[in-house]
Amino acid sequence: MAMTPLVQEKNLVFRLDAGNASYAFQVTPDGRLQHLYWGPKVEALEELTRLNGKNPYPTEPSLDPQDNQCWREHQLWEFAPEDIGVYAPATATVRSAQGTQVTDPRYVSYRTFPGKPALPGLPASYGQEEECQTLEVLLEDPATRVQFLLRYTAFRNLPVLARSLAITNRGDAPVELRRAASLTTDFCHESLDVVYFDGFWGKERCFHREPLQGGLKVLESTRGLSGHAMNPSVILCERTATEEAGRAYGALLVYSGSFAIEVDQSPLYRTRLNLGLHPQCFQWLLNPGDSFQTPEALQGFSAAGLGTLSRAFHDFLRNHLIPRQWRDAPRPILINNWEAMHFDFSKEKLVKLARTAKANGVELLVLDDGWFGKRNNDRNALGDWIPNQEKLDGTMGELADAIRAEGLKFGLWFEPEMISRDSDLFRKHPDWAIQTPGHSLSYHRFQYMLDFSRPEVVDYVFDTISQVIQEAKLDYMKWDANREMTEVGSLALPPEQQGEVAHRYVLGLYDLYQRLTRRFPQMLIEGCSAGGGRFDAGILAFSPQFWTSDNSDAFSRLFIQYGTSFFYPCSAMGAHVAVNWFPQRYSPVETRAAVAFAGTFGYELDLDRMPPEELAQVKAQCQFYHQCHHLVQNGDYYRLTSPYENNTVAWMHLAKDKSLCLLTVVFVRYDAAYAGENLRLPGLDPQATYSDGTHTWPGNLLIQAGYPVTTPKNGDMLSLQILLQKE
Ligand code: GLA
C-alpha cells in the first residue's frame, strides 16, 4: 500500500496520513502556509480547505494575493509569520542586516520521498523506506532571501509525525535567527485542556491538567538542560477526554537543552502550539550560504483518550528513537552501590556486594561516584577521569575483572560535562568552563559546566573517558549531569555568537554521545541528571534508559512514574528497590519491588545489610522479573487509576498479543472501610479466557466488570501483583 503524502496540486493542499490520523495544510493564494486539519483519518483533500471558519471582522479580506489587509488572527497557521498581524508567537524570527524582524516567507516548492533522512548533529527518530514517508515544503522570505525547509515524516503504523525546520540564508547579507520553532500547529477548538509535567529534584514530572484559558502559557526551561522543572512535552486534549476516550494531541521535543512550549489561546478560540528552542536562550548568526537545523519535534494523536496516546508514543520511542540494538535486548538487573556506600567503598566491599548480588540473581554491578581523582566527597575531581588506584586497590581493569570473576557485568558512573572547581583540569584549563567575563562563576555542587561549544573540550573528554571504558571493558555507563547552566558564555566565541553557546553546548553533548555510542556500541548508557532532570527524547536517542529520580521512596515513585509514563515507555525508566527513603514512611519490600518492576529493574541498597527476611525475597523478585520483563519492555502499558485521585493505584502491562497481563495494585493508605473493588482491565482479548492461577475469567468480564482486588492484610503501602495468562 502506497503511503505517499497526498498533494492536491491545483490548490497545493497537503495531507499526511500517519497510522489512523491525518494532518493537513495548504498554501494560500498569497503563498503562506495555512493549517487545515489534525485528527482522525479523513479521505478528503480539497474539501479540507473549506474548514477554516469565517472571519468575524466586518470587512472580509479577499483571497486576492494583491489584497494585503493585516487581519490575519482568525486564520490557522502552519508556519506562523512574524510581524504581519498574526500576533501569537511566530514560528521563526529573522533579524535582517537592517535590524528589522518581519519574517514572512512564501511558498517555493515541495517534494516527497520514502524514508526519513537523519538530522545533521542532532538526535532524531528513524524509519525504513517502507515504514515512513517524508514531505518537504520550501518557503523563502522575499526580503532577506532566507529559506525555510519544513520537513514532515509520517509513519505508516503509528499516528505520529516527526517534524523539523531547516533555515538557510540564500541572501547576500548575514542575518540573525532570533526564534526557530520545530513545530507550529493551530487548533480551532473552544475547550481544550492542557496537560504538562513540571517538577523538582526528587519530584520529577508532576502531572498537571487544566483548562486552557485565554492568553499565552509558556512551558519552558531556560536552564541549558531540559531540567527537572519542566519536561519538554505537552498534551492538548478535549475537556471531556479520559484515559480511554476523547481526542488528545501530544507533542514532544527531541532535545535536551533550553526549550519553550508556547500555548496561546486567543478570544477567537484559535490556539497556537509552538515547540522548540527557547527564544530567550537562542540567537544564531547565519552568514550567506549557512544553514541552521532545528531539533526534531514529534506530534501524536489519539481519538481514544490519553492512554492510547501514551501507548502510541511508547511504541514510537521504542521502535523509532532509542538505539536499535537496545530495542529488544533485555536490560540487565543491576545493583548500584551509591546509596549503599556513597563515597565510602573499597574493592573488598564491592566484590562482596557482587558476590551476594550474583547469588540472588542480579546481573550487573555499577560503581557510582568517587572512583576517580581524589574524589572522596562531591567537592572535587570532576574532569580528572583517572581511576584512583589507591582506593580501588589496583587498576580499574583489575577491579572490573574481579567483579566479572563473581559472574557480574560491570558499569561505572561519569559526569562527563562537568568540571570541579578543585580539579587538575580546572587548574590547567580555567577557560574551559562556561563563563561570562566580568561576572563571577556560580557553582553548584562545587562544580561548573564544561564549555562543550568548544570541540577541543569534547575531544578531551572523549579521549579520557574512552581510556577508562576500554580498560574496564565497561558493559554499562551511568551518565550524570548535576547542575544547570548560569553565566552562559564561551571564551572561544566572538561577541556576535555568544547567543549560540547554549545550543552549541547541546550539539557538543550530542557529539560526545554519538562518538561514544559508535565506539562502544555494546555499552549500555543510562542517562541521569541529579535523578531525572534531563529525561527527554534527545537523550533517549542514545541512552535507552534514564534514572527516573533519585527519590526511590515507593510512594513518591507512584507519582513520578505516573507522570513520566504519559510520553516515555517503562523500558526507559530506571527504577530500583532501595531502603525506605523517609524514616517516617514505610513501604514493605514487596511494594518497593512492585513499583520498581514498572521500569528497568534493579537495586540501590546494600544487599549485605538487608534484613534477612527481605534478602530472602530478592531471588524470587529477580526470577519474577525475568519471567515477565518482556511485558514491561515491549508490551502495552495501561494506567488504570491515578495516584492523584485514588488510594488504590493500579497499572497493567499487557503483551502485544494479549496473551499475558501483569496487573500491579498499590493500596496506599490503610482504610478500615475499604471493602475491595473491581478494577476494569481494558485492552484484554474479550473473546479469550484468562487464568490468574486460581480462577479463570472471561476476558470480556475483566474488561467490562473488572478484576476484584482487595488489600492482602492491614497496613499502608501494601501491594498485589497478579499475572493473568490467556488460556
Ligand atoms: C546524582 C545522581 C545519583 C548519584 C550521585 C553521585 O545525584 O542522581 O544517582 O549518582 O549523583 O554523586
Side-chain angles (χ1 to χ4, degrees):
M1 186 185 69
M3 63 163 302
T4 317
L6 291 167
V7 183
Q8 204 245 15
E9 288 281 348
K10 187 164 104 271
N11 297 326
L12 286 167
V13 182
F14 301 96
R15 194 185 89 215
L16 293 137
D17 295 335
N20 53 11
S22 294
Y23 187 87
F25 56 94
Q26 140 188 61
V27 178
T28 60
D30 51 12
R32 298 180 173 114
L33 271 199
Q34 187 168 331
H35 177 76
L36 294 175
Y37 176 76
W38 183 16
K41 193 163 181 176
V42 291
E43 298 303 328
L45 198 57
E46 192 183 352
E47 299 87 333
L48 289 168
T49 63
R50 296 185 218 133
L51 284 177
N52 253 333
K54 83 172 186 39
N55 176 5
Y57 204 63
T59 38
E60 290 274 331
S62 79
L63 290 177
D64 176 353
Q66 305 307 320
D67 184 345
N68 204 23
Q69 292 197 55
C70 72
W71 176 253
R72 297 186 171 109
E73 282 170 281
H74 65 289
Q75 281 172 265
L76 300 179
W77 294 90
E78 184 65 19
F79 182 102
E82 176 74 89
D83 200 14
I84 62 154
V86 174
Y87 302 115
T91 304
T93 306
V94 175
R95 189 173 192 272
S96 70
Q98 291 74 38
T100 55
Q101 298 207 150
V102 176
T103 307
D104 183 22
R106 308 301 175 97
Y107 174 77
V108 177
S109 62
Y110 80 90
R111 69 175 185 132
T112 66
F113 51 92
K116 180 174 189 299
L119 294 190
L122 285 161
S125 57
Y126 51 82
Q128 306 290 336
E129 292 203 343
E130 59 286 2
E131 290 173 319
C132 56
Q133 279 279 341
T134 297
L135 162 68
E136 288 179 348
V137 178
L138 185 66
L139 311 176
E140 183 175 306
D141 183 275
T144 56
R145 296 195 34 229
V146 170
Q147 290 192 337
F148 299 86
L149 185 71
L150 289 87
R151 185 181 281 154
Y152 300 78
T153 301
F155 288 77
R156 178 195 289 275
N157 294 325
L158 288 166
V160 176
L161 296 179
R163 287 174 65 170
S164 68
L165 184 63
I167 305 170
T168 303
N169 184 358
R170 299 269 177 230
D172 307 323
V175 299
E176 189 178 88
L177 290 179
R178 288 283 176 99
R179 148 188 290 275
S182 306
L183 173 159
T184 294
T185 197
D186 278 3
F187 299 80
C188 63
H189 297 286
E190 183 176 337
S191 46
L192 286 171
D193 280 358
V194 58
V195 178
Y196 59 94
F197 308 92
D198 69 3
F200 191 70
W201 176 85
K203 195 176 192 287
E204 289 88 344
R205 287 165 297 286
C206 304
F207 171 88
H208 294 275
R209 176 172 177 170
E210 61 201 32
L212 257 191
Q213 307 288 1
L216 175 63
K217 186 175 184 72
V218 184
L219 312 170
E220 64 183 356
S221 163
T222 53
R223 297 158 187 260
L225 273 68
S226 53
H228 294 85
M230 188 66 73
N231 194 258
S233 57
V234 68
I235 299 170
L236 299 182
C237 62
E238 290 177 328
R239 201 147 289 166
T240 51
T242 63
E243 278 292 320
E244 292 174 61
R247 292 188 182 189
Y249 306 82
L252 177 65
L253 197 60
V254 186
Y255 190 60
S256 310
S258 298
F259 66 88
I261 299 174
E262 297 162 322
V263 189
D264 190 356
Q265 193 178 57
S266 81
L268 298 162
Y269 299 122
R270 294 323 189 224
T271 301
R272 163 79 33 83
L273 173 63
N274 262 355
L275 227 81
L277 295 165
H278 201 306
Q280 187 183 314
C281 314
F282 168 76
Q283 283 173 19
W284 200 271
L285 178 70
L286 267 194
N287 282 313
D290 283 358
S291 287
F292 177 81
Q293 174 63 57
T294 70
E296 178 164 288
L298 305 171
Q299 59 182 96
F301 172 75
S302 157
L306 299 166
T308 305
L309 182 73
S310 294
R311 288 185 287 281
F313 272 99
H314 297 171
D315 283 343
F316 188 84
L317 297 182
R318 290 185 297 200
N319 295 328
H320 298 289
L321 185 90
I322 68 162
R324 287 180 177 84
Q325 70 267 35
W326 299 111
R327 203 153 84 177
D328 300 314
R331 312 287 169 73
I333 300 178
L334 69 85
I335 182 145
N336 179 305
N337 81 318
W338 176 244
E339 300 222 346
M341 303 174 192
H342 288 113
F343 294 99
D344 183 22
F345 57 82
S346 63
K347 185 174 186 179
E348 196 189 338
K349 279 191 192 174
L350 292 168
V351 170
K352 186 160 179 272
L353 181 63
R355 192 165 302 148
T356 314
K358 174 68 187 171
N360 287 284
V362 174
E363 297 158 311
L364 164 77
L365 182 128
V366 181
L367 172 54
D368 209 281
D369 196 355
W371 54 263
F372 50 92
K374 299 189 186 72
R375 190 157 166 102
N376 291 314
N377 53 48
D378 63 6
R379 288 171 174 255
N380 59 37
L382 294 175
D384 301 340
W385 301 111
I386 298 166
N388 180 338
Q389 296 205 14
E390 206 180 311
K391 199 165 174 185
L392 300 178
D393 194 14
T395 66
M396 186 56 88
E398 286 162 1
L399 175 65
D401 288 345
I403 301 297
R404 290 209 179 83
E406 298 297 333
L408 259 64
K409 296 179 175 182
F410 183 57
L412 275 183
W413 178 96
F414 292 86
E415 200 174 352
E417 303 150 70
M418 303 293 161
I419 179 166
S420 294
R421 291 197 313 182
D422 177 7
S423 64
D424 292 342
L425 188 64
F426 190 63
R427 280 182 282 277
K428 195 164 167 207
H429 292 292
D431 56 318
W432 279 13
I434 295 262
Q435 58 192 281
T436 300
H439 290 272
S440 58
L441 270 80
S442 302
Y443 67 88
H444 176 69
R445 236 190 169 205
F446 309 96
Q447 68 201 53
Y448 307 124
M449 291 179 85
L450 280 168
D451 182 357
F452 268 25
S453 74
R454 299 173 72 155
E456 70 273 27
V457 177
V458 177
D459 287 348
Y460 173 85
V461 175
F462 175 70
D463 289 343
T464 48
I465 284 184
S466 294
Q467 280 172 28
V468 184
I469 297 172
Q470 221 159 0
E471 187 194 345
K473 301 188 194 68
L474 289 187
D475 301 293
Y476 167 106
M477 164 180 179
K478 178 173 168 186
W479 182 318
D480 208 344
N482 278 304
R483 66 158 290 175
E484 296 166 341
M485 220 179 263
T486 56
E487 292 99 20
V488 183
S490 168
L491 297 186
L493 284 173
E496 63 276 18
Q497 286 186 283
Q498 289 296 323
E500 302 177 9
V501 174
H503 181 60
R504 284 188 184 274
Y505 174 92
V506 181
L507 295 179
L509 167 72
Y510 291 146
D511 181 38
L512 183 61
Y513 253 115
Q514 184 138 46
R515 286 158 73 179
L516 284 172
T517 46
R518 283 211 178 129
R519 172 123 177 230
F520 305 104
Q522 80 299 337
M523 181 177 70
L524 173 63
I525 304 183
E526 176 153 354
C528 176
S529 180
R534 194 165 56 183
F535 200 128
D536 61 57
I539 298 294
L540 289 184
F542 305 100
S543 293
Q545 59 194 60
F546 203 98
W547 183 224
T548 314
S549 175
D550 277 343
N551 185 347
S552 285
D553 166 54
F555 174 73
S556 308
R557 280 289 182 131
L558 292 177
F559 294 83
I560 297 168
Q561 292 176 194
Y562 176 83
T564 307
S565 76
F566 278 81
F567 281 92
Y568 306 103
C570 295
S571 59
M573 293 188 218
H576 301 165
V577 181
V579 294
N580 276 295
W581 244 60
F582 304 114
Q584 315 82 316
R585 189 186 286 143
Y586 173 79
S587 301
V589 72
E590 296 87 337
T591 302
R592 282 178 270 146
V595 173
F597 268 130
T600 60
F601 189 63
Y603 292 84
E604 190 100 5
L605 42 68
D606 192 347
L607 291 172
D608 291 315
R609 291 199 344 239
M610 233 178 157
E613 66 282 4
E614 289 191 1
L615 183 63
Q617 297 186 41
V618 171
K619 200 179 233 174
Q621 287 164 0
C622 291
Q623 277 166 356
F624 186 62
Y625 186 74
H626 280 303
Q627 190 186 344
C628 45
H629 87 270
H630 62 284
L631 297 179
V632 178
Q633 185 160 340
N634 299 321
D636 283 333
Y637 178 72
Y638 287 79
R639 292 177 293 268
L640 301 180
T641 64
S642 156
Y644 290 88
E645 290 166 9
N646 301 80
N647 192 41
T648 304
V649 182
W651 60 90
M652 76 181 207
H653 301 276
L654 178 65
K656 285 279 177 197
D657 65 3
K658 300 181 190 292
S659 61
L660 189 64
C661 167
L662 172 63
L663 168 65
T664 305
V665 189
V666 177
F667 304 94
V668 174
R669 286 179 313 281
Y670 171 64
D671 177 357
Y674 183 64
E677 63 196 286
N678 300 325
L679 282 177
R680 291 195 310 104
L681 308 183
L684 297 183
D685 178 354
Q687 313 297 336
T689 306
Y690 289 87
S691 166
D692 62 9
T694 309
H695 298 290
T696 55
W697 301 88
N700 193 37
L701 188 72
L702 295 172
I703 295 168
Q704 302 302 347
Y707 183 83
V709 298
T710 192
T711 39
K713 53 189 179 192
N714 295 345
D716 290 347
M717 287 300 288
L718 299 177
S719 59
L720 285 179
Q721 287 205 291
I722 311 278
L723 264 182
L724 289 159
Q725 174 95 51
K726 190 168 163 176
E727 297 230 291

